[in-house]
Amino acid sequence: MTPFQVFLQQLANGLTIGSIYALIALGYTMVYGVIQLINFAHGEVFMVGAYVGLSACLWLGLEGVAPGGAMAWGFVGVVGASILGCALLGLAVERLAYRPLRRAPRLTALITAIGLSFFLQNAVMLVYGATDRRFPALVPSVRWNLGGATVTTLQLVIWAAAGLMMAGLQVLVMRTRLGKAMRATAQDPTACWLLGIPVDRIISVTFAIGSSLAAVGGVLFGLYYHTVNFHDGYLIGLKAFTAAVLGGIGNIPGAMVGGLLLGVLETLGAGYLSAQWKHVFAFVVLVVLLLFKPTGLLGERVADRA
Amino acid sequence: MKPAGGGHPPSPPQRRRFPWLSWLGFAGACLVPLLGLNAYHVEVLTSAGIFVLLALGLNLVVGFTGLLHLGYAAFFAIGAYTYGLLNLHWHVPFWGGLVPSAVVAGLCGVALGIPVMRVRGDYLAIVTLGFGEIVRLTFTNLEQWTGGPNGLLGIAHPVGWLPGRGWYDFGVDSLPYYYLVAAAVALVATACWRLADSRIGRAWMAIREDELAASCAGIPAVHLKLLAQGCGAAIAGVAGAIFAAKQGTITPDSFDFILSVMLLAMVVFGGLGSIVGVMVGALILGALPEVMRGLDQYRMLLFGVVMILMVRWRPQGLLGGPQIRRELTRG
């Protein structure tokens, strides 16, 4: 491979993991945009999404299924089940854990978030065990040559799925009544409430949508790495959060850009500098960017107070 | 120090009483092991005591000065590794390593504080989070010095002297560490209390409430914010040295993001800015996972539920002052 082909290959791999980061980052950024809450339990929702997908695979008997129509429908079914499970989880999390604290000091929600993380991690560990679980392959492993870089069907599927979800979200937020209500709630909840917008329901829906995106991210992550572990939510969640901040937290296109950028930078850093320091790059990029542009790439001002 | 001018409101009575509470608490803490607790109980209390120490240090930064810090575990790690490396490479004893640990951690606190001066609020939280992860991953990756993921092994325990017993090694028994931690907590708590009502403490709180107004009133906000971060980090450094000496082994995994968040949870749950509250909060949240040990594999699951229920029960924290409550409520 020529150096340029190596670069293209790295870029393709980076965009793949970046798409997954972006899907999860959207959940952080949407919730922050609407209620200025950093939902640190979101990484665990992503992890639960991967496990719900795994359960759906096993329940539908997709272990070792042959490529074809059954596999395609199986993929759709698994993603659908995961979305449904995580949307319900997101609703429950908002209703039971965060809503009672809506009027409480902002930092208390942080305790709830870490409590939730412990709960979800350990619940998954008790149900599925503490060891890595193998994630069945739901996409035929065909290799394509894309200008010198080798791209698997799975990578194409991940790009397509992430792209579709993000386009759908953009349409939802910018073109529908619901989206308009979400943007309005983000600007001024009190005024929305006065105008008759059901603010509580809008916030619930925001959690449900964010969790659904994380669910898709979870299934794609499982497919890409072939294994899932109950610890995965921690580092991936933290990275996705970093991506959301990189783009400017609260800003939806920012989360997408941040996710892709983080994935690419991380992969290039691992490839050209040092694989061992791969995880450090994400945070160094974050710190350096915030020092020079304290609001992220596309961000606006955020809360000043702790 | 006499309150300056007429504009300074009288200190809350709780603060005035505190030194007596502090000494009473310390005396009580010294007597606790005599109540017939077994070694396991003492061990749990000692670990919780280290959390109390860390929470007190974090409280200077978050509770007093209002700087949201999400990477505080990094300074704990820096303190622990400073003593560990000094001891393993140059055979520096614990009592000699304590001060360097505090100094190195404190300097790192200031060094981190300088670049992040212009970052505020939630973004400060995120930069410090990034810093915390960078420190942990750096200790993991610098294998030739830090032993990588396996950490440092065989760090020496402290040596003590008692009348009638002479020089002895603290060893693996928890009891001497318990007294060491209790003494450190008493000293740090008293120092925090003295700081809270001093010129510096009042300036910190002025910055917390309104940095712009504080600067206009002539408070050197930049210096004082750096001082708060340095002091907080130095306390974490002391806690780190004690932790390293007690465990004898440290690994980077002990200092992850969860620890930073957990410490912040202790401070918030206890009541931001309230010294007694923070200590009680840290004791409860630090000891609870051990108290729940009997629940076996359901332990952390239920601990998570307990945390959620606790903040629903007291969202303002155990001893959150009315003034801080008002300020931290969104409006």
Side-chain angles (χ1 to χ4, degrees), chain B:
Chain B
M1 180 189 295
K2 259 174 62 180
H8 178 59
S11 312
Q14 175 211 339
R15 288 238 171 85
R16 289 252 166 93
R17 272 205 317 269
F18 183 76
W20 296 107
L21 269 180
S22 166
W23 296 119
L24 269 179
F26 178 58
C30 288
L31 294 176
V32 163
L34 304 178
L35 294 175
L37 298 181
N38 61 28
Y40 168 68
H41 295 139
V42 176
E43 168 66 27
V44 171
L45 283 175
T46 312
S47 306
I50 292 179
F51 281 125
V52 173
L53 210 52
L54 289 166
L56 280 172
L58 184 59
N59 184 44
L60 286 186
V61 181
V62 184
F64 284 7
T65 323
L67 304 170
L68 190 48
H69 207 297
L70 273 179
Y72 192 64
F75 304 121
F76 185 44
I78 290 169
Y81 272 92
T82 303
Y83 167 57
L85 290 171
L86 281 177
N87 178 265
L88 291 177
H89 290 294
W90 294 284
H91 307 288
V92 176
F94 170 72
W95 301 106
L98 203 52
V99 174
S101 289
V103 170
V104 171
L107 287 179
C108 288
V110 175
L112 168 73
I114 293 169
V116 303
M117 261 308 135
R118 57 198 223 100
V119 188
R120 304 173 59 151
D122 284 1
Y123 278 118
L124 175 67
I126 295 154
V127 176
T128 50
L129 179 163
F131 174 74
E133 284 298 293
I134 291 171
V135 168
R136 179 178 68 86
L137 292 165
T138 304
F139 281 132
T140 313
N141 283 341
L142 286 178
E143 272 179 56
Q144 60 273 45
W145 293 300
T146 63
N150 298 326
L152 299 176
L153 305 168
I155 302 166
H157 298 298
V159 172
W161 188 87
L162 276 182
R165 195 170 166 190
W167 294 101
Y168 68 103
D169 187 272
F170 274 24
V172 288
D173 181 20
S174 307
L175 200 58
Y177 298 103
Y178 174 83
Y179 287 114
L180 178 65
V181 170
V185 167
L187 277 176
V188 169
T190 311
C192 287
W193 173 79
R194 297 286 296 164
L195 270 172
D197 263 357
S198 72
R199 263 181 99 83
I200 293 174
R202 279 183 283 135
W204 280 343
M205 285 169 217
I207 293 171
R208 176 187 72 198
E209 266 143 63
D210 191 332
E211 188 174 336
L212 188 63
S215 306
C216 293
I219 290 171
V222 170
H223 290 111
L224 283 164
K225 275 158 75 175
L226 287 179
L227 184 67
Q229 289 179 339
C231 290
I235 294 172
V238 171
I242 296 177
F243 178 76
K246 174 174 168 293
Q247 302 296 112
T249 304
I250 45 174
T251 59
D253 284 348
S254 319
F255 311 102
D256 60 1
F257 171 62
I258 299 292
L259 177 65
S260 291
V261 183
M262 202 59 204
L263 290 169
L264 194 56
M266 290 170 184
V267 174
V268 174
F269 177 61
L272 275 166
S274 156
I275 296 166
V276 179
V278 164
M279 292 170 70
V280 175
L283 260 186
I284 292 178
L285 285 182
L288 205 55
E290 285 303 323
V291 173
M292 294 168 76
R293 181 69 75 183
L295 298 167
D296 203 30
Q297 49 178 339
Y298 297 99
R299 178 172 69 115
M300 289 313 279
L301 184 92
L302 292 172
F303 179 60
V305 176
V306 169
M307 284 180 78
I308 296 170
L309 293 180
M310 274 193 319
V311 287
R312 277 189 69 165
W313 166 59
R314 271 194 85 81
Q316 73 276 37
L318 287 174
L319 293 173
Q323 152 206 5
I324 293 170
R325 206 177 308 161
R326 191 175 57 235
E327 173 212 342
L328 288 173
T329 313
R330 246 174 315 156

Side-chain angles (χ1 to χ4, degrees), chain A residues 32 106 108 126 291 304-306, chain B residues 118 121-122 209 297 315 328:
Chain A
Y32 190 91
R106 239 160 61 81
T108 43
L126 288 173
L291 293 183
D304 256 357
R305 292 286 177 81
Chain B
R118 57 198 223 100
D122 284 1
E209 266 143 63
Q297 49 178 339
L328 288 173

Side-chain angles (χ1 to χ4, degrees), chain A residues 154-179:
Chain A
L154 179 61
Q155 283 179 310
L156 295 176
V157 167
I158 291 177
W159 295 346
L164 269 179
M165 297 297 291
M166 290 186 220
L169 182 72
Q170 194 64 20
V171 170
L172 179 86
V173 173
M174 300 312 287
R175 307 269 165 186
T176 63
R177 267 171 71 88
L178 175 66

Side-chain angles (χ1 to χ4, degrees), chain A residues 8 22 37 104 123 190 263 274 290:
Chain A
L8 274 184
L37 167 83
T190 318
S274 154
L290 285 188

